Short mmCIF file of all heavy atoms in Angstrom, two decimals:
data_model
loop_
_atom_site.label_atom_id
_atom_site.label_comp_id
_atom_site.label_asym_id
_atom_site.label_seq_id
_atom_site.Cartn_x
_atom_site.Cartn_y
_atom_site.Cartn_z
N GLU A 46 55.96 131.22 80.20
CA GLU A 46 55.42 132.43 79.56
C GLU A 46 56.48 133.05 78.65
O GLU A 46 56.15 133.52 77.56
CB GLU A 46 54.98 133.46 80.62
CG GLU A 46 53.81 133.03 81.50
CD GLU A 46 52.45 133.02 80.79
OE1 GLU A 46 52.40 133.06 79.54
OE2 GLU A 46 51.44 132.95 81.49
N LEU A 49 56.62 131.17 75.52
CA LEU A 49 55.48 131.49 74.65
C LEU A 49 55.69 132.80 73.91
O LEU A 49 55.32 132.92 72.74
CB LEU A 49 54.19 131.58 75.50
CG LEU A 49 53.56 130.22 75.80
CD1 LEU A 49 52.47 130.38 76.84
CD2 LEU A 49 52.98 129.62 74.52
N HIS A 72 47.08 137.81 71.82
CA HIS A 72 47.48 137.04 73.01
C HIS A 72 48.99 137.16 73.27
O HIS A 72 49.43 137.03 74.41
CB HIS A 72 47.05 135.58 72.91
CG HIS A 72 47.07 134.88 74.24
ND1 HIS A 72 46.36 135.34 75.33
CD2 HIS A 72 47.74 133.79 74.68
CE1 HIS A 72 46.60 134.56 76.37
NE2 HIS A 72 47.43 133.61 76.01
N THR A 76 50.44 138.10 76.74
CA THR A 76 51.46 137.23 77.35
C THR A 76 52.68 138.05 77.80
O THR A 76 53.25 137.80 78.87
CB THR A 76 51.87 136.11 76.36
OG1 THR A 76 50.69 135.39 76.00
CG2 THR A 76 52.88 135.15 76.96
N GLN A 79 51.82 139.43 80.93
CA GLN A 79 51.79 138.39 81.98
C GLN A 79 53.21 138.14 82.53
O GLN A 79 53.38 137.86 83.71
CB GLN A 79 51.20 137.09 81.44
CG GLN A 79 49.71 137.22 81.14
CD GLN A 79 49.13 136.01 80.45
OE1 GLN A 79 49.88 135.14 79.97
NE2 GLN A 79 47.82 135.94 80.38
N GLU A 134 46.71 126.79 76.41
CA GLU A 134 45.84 127.60 77.29
C GLU A 134 45.31 126.76 78.45
O GLU A 134 45.26 127.22 79.58
CB GLU A 134 44.69 128.23 76.50
CG GLU A 134 45.11 129.28 75.48
CD GLU A 134 46.13 130.28 76.01
OE1 GLU A 134 45.98 130.78 77.14
OE2 GLU A 134 47.10 130.57 75.29
N GLU A 137 47.90 126.39 81.00
CA GLU A 137 48.07 127.64 81.77
C GLU A 137 46.91 127.84 82.76
O GLU A 137 47.13 128.29 83.88
CB GLU A 137 48.16 128.83 80.80
CG GLU A 137 49.45 128.85 80.01
CD GLU A 137 49.54 130.09 79.16
OE1 GLU A 137 48.72 130.23 78.22
OE2 GLU A 137 50.41 130.92 79.42
N TYR A 141 47.65 128.35 86.63
CA TYR A 141 47.30 129.57 87.37
C TYR A 141 46.19 129.30 88.40
O TYR A 141 46.16 129.95 89.44
CB TYR A 141 46.91 130.71 86.41
CG TYR A 141 48.13 131.37 85.80
CD1 TYR A 141 48.48 131.14 84.48
CD2 TYR A 141 48.95 132.20 86.57
CE1 TYR A 141 49.61 131.73 83.92
CE2 TYR A 141 50.07 132.80 86.02
CZ TYR A 141 50.40 132.56 84.70
OH TYR A 141 51.53 133.14 84.15
N THR A 163 45.66 137.03 85.54
CA THR A 163 46.24 136.22 84.45
C THR A 163 45.34 135.01 84.16
O THR A 163 45.10 134.68 82.99
CB THR A 163 47.66 135.76 84.83
OG1 THR A 163 48.45 136.93 85.04
CG2 THR A 163 48.30 134.93 83.74
N GLU A 167 43.79 133.89 80.51
CA GLU A 167 44.00 132.58 79.85
C GLU A 167 42.66 131.96 79.49
O GLU A 167 42.51 131.37 78.42
CB GLU A 167 44.79 131.62 80.76
CG GLU A 167 46.11 132.14 81.32
CD GLU A 167 47.17 132.48 80.28
OE1 GLU A 167 46.86 132.54 79.08
OE2 GLU A 167 48.32 132.72 80.68
FE1 FE2 B 1 50.06 133.05 79.64
#
Side-chain angles (χ1 to χ4, degrees):
E46 295 287 16
L49 279 169
H72 197 56
T76 303
Q79 291 173 348
E134 293 314 316
E137 290 184 294
Y141 282 106
T163 300
E167 307 298 11

